[in-house]
């Protein structure tokens, strides 16, 4: 009875653990989905705002168009810098510091964008004309800071890419030299062979010349053909007579030609 109660208790504990894990997994999945939805919603809202500002720059005139142009330039600069830094963060961890600075800069840009939005609804044109130069100067400072970081990050990525390409080119050249190891070995063997054959070069000039060129019409490649056997007759290869089946008839003909003739001219020639 005690064993049965322990088993029931273990089953209940296992069921409770499974339920807890299921609840925790569901909550985490819901948070992840919610975060993704919020991110996509923020991106969509930002895209709509950018499109609206771009339309205002073309459809409005005067201060409203100027305010829309300032807001659009501020957003475009920050978005471009963020894309560059986030795309290179996986390869270069030092860009994380620049991304943190960009987040602080983005906070100032958000405050400025709020002021520009408020100024856009201002009915007094004199106040707009008085406040707009100051706000534009702040926007230019923020834009310049963002562009400076973006250009520096782009130059850093370009420099790293050039350095990596240079190292890769050197490794490829080294590998190509290793693959052509026979060139080095052949050069060393030829130098040793020329050094050893130097004393007898004058006595073997005729033989070397004939071996270099071979039969008539073979050209300077005769020595290469002798070193590397091909379809021509060579050591361990059947001759043309054997391949054509003429070896035995030719041998019999040669034996008949070598036999002494029994004619009347045999006596005087022997004497």
């Amino acid at each position: 009875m005690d064993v049965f109660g322990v088993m029931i208790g273990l089953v209940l504990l296992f069921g409770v653990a499974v339920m807890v894990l299921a609840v925790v997994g569901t909550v985490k999945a819901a948070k992840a989905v919610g975060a993704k939805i919020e991110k996509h919603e923020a991106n969509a809202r930002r895209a709509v705002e950018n499109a609206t500002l771009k339309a205002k720059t073309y459809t409005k005139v005067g201060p409203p168009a100027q305010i829309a142009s300032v807001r659009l330039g501020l957003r475009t600069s920050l978005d471009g810098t963020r894309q560059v830094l986030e795309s290179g963060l996986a390869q270069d961890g030092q860009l994380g510091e620049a991304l943190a600075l960009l987040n602080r800069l983005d906070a100032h840009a958000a405050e400025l964008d709020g002021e520009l939005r408020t100024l856009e609804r201002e009915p007094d044109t004199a106040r707009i004309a008085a406040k707009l130069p100051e706000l534009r100067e702040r926007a230019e400072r923020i834009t310049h800071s963002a562009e400076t970081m973006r250009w520096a990050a782009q130059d850093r990525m370009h420099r790293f890419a050039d350095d990596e390409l240079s190292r890769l080119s050197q490794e490829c050249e080294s590998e190509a030299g290793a693959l052509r190891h026979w060139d080095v070995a052949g050069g060393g063997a030829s130098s040793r062979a020329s050094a050893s054959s130097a004393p007898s070069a004058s006595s073997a000039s005729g033989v070397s010349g004939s071996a270099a060129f071979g039969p008539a019409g073979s050209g300077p490649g005769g020595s290469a053909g002798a070193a590397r056997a091909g379809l021509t007759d060579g050591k361990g290869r059947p001759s043309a007579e054997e391949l054509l089946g003429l070896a035995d008839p030719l041998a019999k003909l040669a034996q008949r030609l070598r036999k002494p003739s029994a004619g009347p001219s045999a006596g005087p020639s022997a004497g």
Side-chain angles (χ1 to χ4, degrees):
M1 194 67 184
D2 293 337
V3 176
F4 186 71
V6 170
M7 292 179 63
I8 293 177
L10 291 176
V11 170
L12 291 176
L13 288 176
F14 181 75
V16 171
V18 170
M19 291 179 61
V20 170
L21 291 176
V23 171
V24 171
T26 304
V27 171
K28 288 185 177 180
K31 288 183 178 180
V33 172
K36 183 175 286 188
I37 292 175
E38 290 179 359
K39 183 178 180 180
H40 287 295
E41 183 181 357
N43 292 335
R45 183 172 59 251
R46 194 172 186 85
V48 172
E49 291 177 354
N50 292 340
T52 304
L53 291 175
K54 187 175 291 186
K56 286 181 179 180
T57 58
Y58 292 106
T59 58
K60 300 288 185 178
V61 293
Q66 296 177 4
I67 294 174
S69 177
V70 173
R71 292 180 63 193
L72 182 61
L74 190 64
R75 289 165 176 261
T76 303
S77 178
L78 290 172
D79 288 343
T81 303
R82 184 175 297 278
Q83 289 177 3
V84 170
L85 295 179
E86 288 180 351
S87 64
L89 185 61
Q91 290 79 20
D92 188 3
Q94 193 169 353
L95 295 179
E97 299 179 2
L99 192 59
L101 290 176
L102 182 65
N103 292 330
R104 295 170 56 187
L105 197 65
D106 199 1
H108 286 279
E111 295 178 0
L112 179 59
D113 187 74
E115 295 181 15
L116 288 169
R117 235 183 1 255
T118 303
L119 189 65
E120 194 175 15
R121 295 189 294 268
E122 177 63 41
D124 189 359
T125 56
R127 181 170 177 79
I128 294 176
K131 293 287 294 183
L132 186 57
E134 177 189 355
L135 298 179
R136 182 186 288 114
E137 191 270 337
R138 286 173 57 189
E140 290 176 353
R141 290 171 57 187
I142 295 175
T143 301
H144 177 70
S145 300
E147 289 177 347
T148 300
M149 286 194 298
R150 182 173 71 249
W151 296 336
Q154 290 174 347
D155 294 340
R156 181 181 178 87
M157 294 177 187
H158 182 70
R159 179 62 181 271
F160 283 172
D162 287 344
D163 293 343
E164 179 65 22
L165 182 59
S166 299
R167 289 194 297 269
L168 183 59
S169 299
Q170 293 178 359
E171 292 177 1
C172 289
E173 291 178 0
S174 301
E175 183 64 20
L179 292 174
R180 293 194 182 96
H181 62 86
W182 63 83
D183 288 345
V184 180
S190 61
S191 62
R192 289 193 299 269
S194 60
S196 62
S197 62
S200 59
S202 59
S203 61
S205 59
V207 178
S208 61
S210 61
F213 287 90
S218 61
S223 59
R228 184 178 180 180
L231 294 177
T232 59
D233 295 341
K235 185 176 180 180
R237 293 181 178 272
S239 62
E241 294 84 357
E242 294 176 351
L243 290 174
L244 296 175
L246 301 177
D248 293 338
L250 289 177
K252 293 179 180 179
L253 180 59
Q255 291 178 1
R256 291 179 181 178
L257 292 176
R258 283 197 297 268
K259 288 182 179 181
S261 60
S265 59
S269 60

